Amino acid sequence: MDFFPAWAKVNLGLEVREKRPDGYHNVRMVNQTVSLADRITIALRPKREGITLRITGAELPAGEQNLAYRAAELLQKRCGVRSGVQIELRKHIPVAAGLAGGSADAAAVLYGLNRLWGLNLKAAELMALALELGSDVPFALLGGTALAEGRGEVLTPLTPLLPCWFVLVHPRIEVSTAWAYAELDRCPPSARPDIPGLLAALAAGDLKGVAAHLGNSFQAVIEERYPCVAEAKRALLAEGALGACLTGSGPTVFGLFSEKIGAEKAAAALKGEMDTFVVRPVAEGAGVLPLEAVMEE
Ligand code: ATP
C-alpha cells in the first residue's frame, strides 16, 4: 500500500483567448500548486480483481467517469499491465470548484502507478498520457509555479512564488466549466487580465506586484451569476488580503496574504456560510513531496 498526495492549484492569472477549431479555447494561465490535497492510496491486486476505486469525502462516481479511475485504466491499457489495482481516494479538495481536484487525482494516480507497476515512463510520456485525461493534468504532474498556454498543456516553469499564504474561500456551490466557457463566448469580457504584468512581478519577487496583477477572465460572468463570489472577494480584501481573485471558472475565490497570522484571522472571520482553507504555495507536483510535512505546518 502506497500513499500519494494530489495537490490543488490556483490560477494567479487566467486569460481565456480565442476559441480553436478543435472546440477548446486557447488560454494563458499562471498556475500555482497549493497545500490542499486529496489523499490517494494505491495497493496492487491480482489481474482478476481489475481496477477498483473507493471514494470518501465526496459524492463522486467510482467508475469510468472518475478521472482517478480513467488514469489507472489508460496506463494499464497503454502499457499492457497484467495486474489489478485498488485505489482509495479521500477527497479534501472541493469538487467543481476551480481548484482542479479531478486533474490532481489523475496526475497522482499516473505518477503512483508508473512507480508501483515499475513502468519507468519518462516525464514526456507521462505528460502525453496526462493530456489525454484533461488540459490541467500535465500541470498537476509538474506543479509549482508555471505559465500554462495552449489548452493549458504548454508549460513553462516560472520563478517560484515568494513565501506567502492563501485563504481559499469556497461558497459551497458547484460551477460547470462548460457553462462558464459558453457564457464567455456569449458575452466576452471587456477587460483582459494583465498576464505580462503578473509575470514581471513574479520574476522580480514582488509579492505586492503579484497581488496587484491577479486576474481572471471568468470573474465578471461568474460574479454576475453568483453574487456570493463577489461578496467573498470583497470580504477577503476587507480582511486585509493584498489581493483577491477567482480561480479557474470558480466558484472558489482566494486571497493572498504575506503573513500566516493575517490569513488565519481572515479565514476565521469568513468561516460559516463559506468553507475556508489556509494554504501555502507548494513547489512540486504530484507525488513528489511528503504530504504530511507540508500539511501539518
Ligand atoms: P474543471 O475545470 O476540470 O471542471 P474543477 O477544478 O472546477 O475542474 P473538479 O473538482 O476537477 O473541478 O471536477 C470537475 C468535474 O469532474 C466534476 O463535475 C466531477 O464530477 C468530475 N470528476 C471526475 N473525477 C473526479 C475526481 N476524482 N475528483 C473530482 N471531480 C471529478
Side-chain angles (χ1 to χ4, degrees):
M1 179 104 74
D2 280 70
F3 168 79
F4 300 92
W7 304 105
K9 69 107 179 69
V10 295
N11 300 107
L12 301 175
L14 193 170
E15 180 189 3
V16 178
R17 295 162 80 97
E18 71 284 357
K19 195 165 182 174
R20 313 174 349 166
D22 64 6
Y24 290 99
H25 288 76
N26 278 322
V27 293
R28 201 149 54 134
M29 305 188 287
V30 177
N31 292 349
Q32 175 63 56
T33 307
V34 295
S35 60
L36 172 65
D38 293 338
R39 282 114 151 121
I40 291 179
T41 45
I42 303 179
L44 299 187
R45 289 281 179 265
K47 179 164 190 277
R48 67 185 144 75
E49 290 186 24
I51 300 168
T52 56
L53 174 62
R54 275 219 316 259
I55 305 164
T56 52
E59 298 281 324
L60 282 170
E64 287 188 350
Q65 286 149 297
N66 197 294
L67 277 164
Y69 184 101
R70 295 227 314 267
E73 189 179 53
L74 182 66
L75 212 52
Q76 196 185 43
K77 282 192 179 145
R78 289 298 164 79
C79 301
V81 174
R82 302 178 64 80
S83 160
V85 66
Q86 182 186 315
I87 302 169
E88 291 204 16
L89 168 56
R90 274 168 60 200
K91 288 296 293 183
H92 293 270
I93 305 172
V95 173
L99 296 165
S103 302
D105 297 341
V109 169
L110 282 182
Y111 175 89
L113 283 178
N114 184 41
R115 266 187 36 195
L116 296 180
W117 279 339
L119 301 173
N120 293 319
L121 292 181
K122 298 197 181 66
E125 294 170 305
L126 272 185
M127 284 288 186
L129 291 175
L131 183 58
E132 288 188 43
L133 293 164
S135 304
D136 279 335
V137 186
F139 172 74
L141 272 176
L142 175 73
T145 313
L147 178 66
E149 297 172 287
R151 281 165 58 186
E153 84 285 18
V154 182
L155 298 171
T156 310
L158 299 171
T159 314
L161 187 61
L162 288 180
C164 63
W165 295 87
F166 294 103
V167 177
L168 310 182
V169 180
H170 180 251
R172 298 197 191 123
I173 51 171
E174 293 188 4
V175 173
S176 150
T177 303
W179 170 83
Y181 271 106
E183 280 297 286
L184 271 196
D185 290 339
R186 207 172 54 81
C187 42
S190 45
R192 287 180 170 277
D194 180 4
I195 301 291
L198 177 58
L199 292 174
L202 269 172
D206 171 9
L207 196 60
K208 284 197 177 134
V210 169
H213 288 92
L214 300 173
N216 187 317
S217 292
F218 289 110
Q219 189 92 38
V221 290
I222 299 294
E223 285 187 355
E224 195 184 332
R225 172 74 179 75
Y226 302 102
C228 57
V229 168
E231 177 48 38
K233 184 174 164 183
R234 264 196 304 275
L236 279 164
L237 292 171
E239 289 296 330
L242 298 174
C245 190
L246 188 76
T247 179
S249 54
T252 305
V253 178
F254 64 92
L256 179 58
F257 293 79
S258 53
E259 304 295 334
K260 186 179 187 185
I261 189 162
E264 285 179 336
K265 202 174 129 279
L270 268 71
K271 206 156 66 188
E273 277 170 42
M274 310 202 189
D275 292 323
T276 60
F277 306 87
V278 176
V279 299
R280 66 179 182 80
V282 169
E284 311 283 352
V288 179
L289 284 183
L291 176 69
E292 306 306 340
V294 175
M295 302 289 289
E296 283 174 11
E297 270 186 22

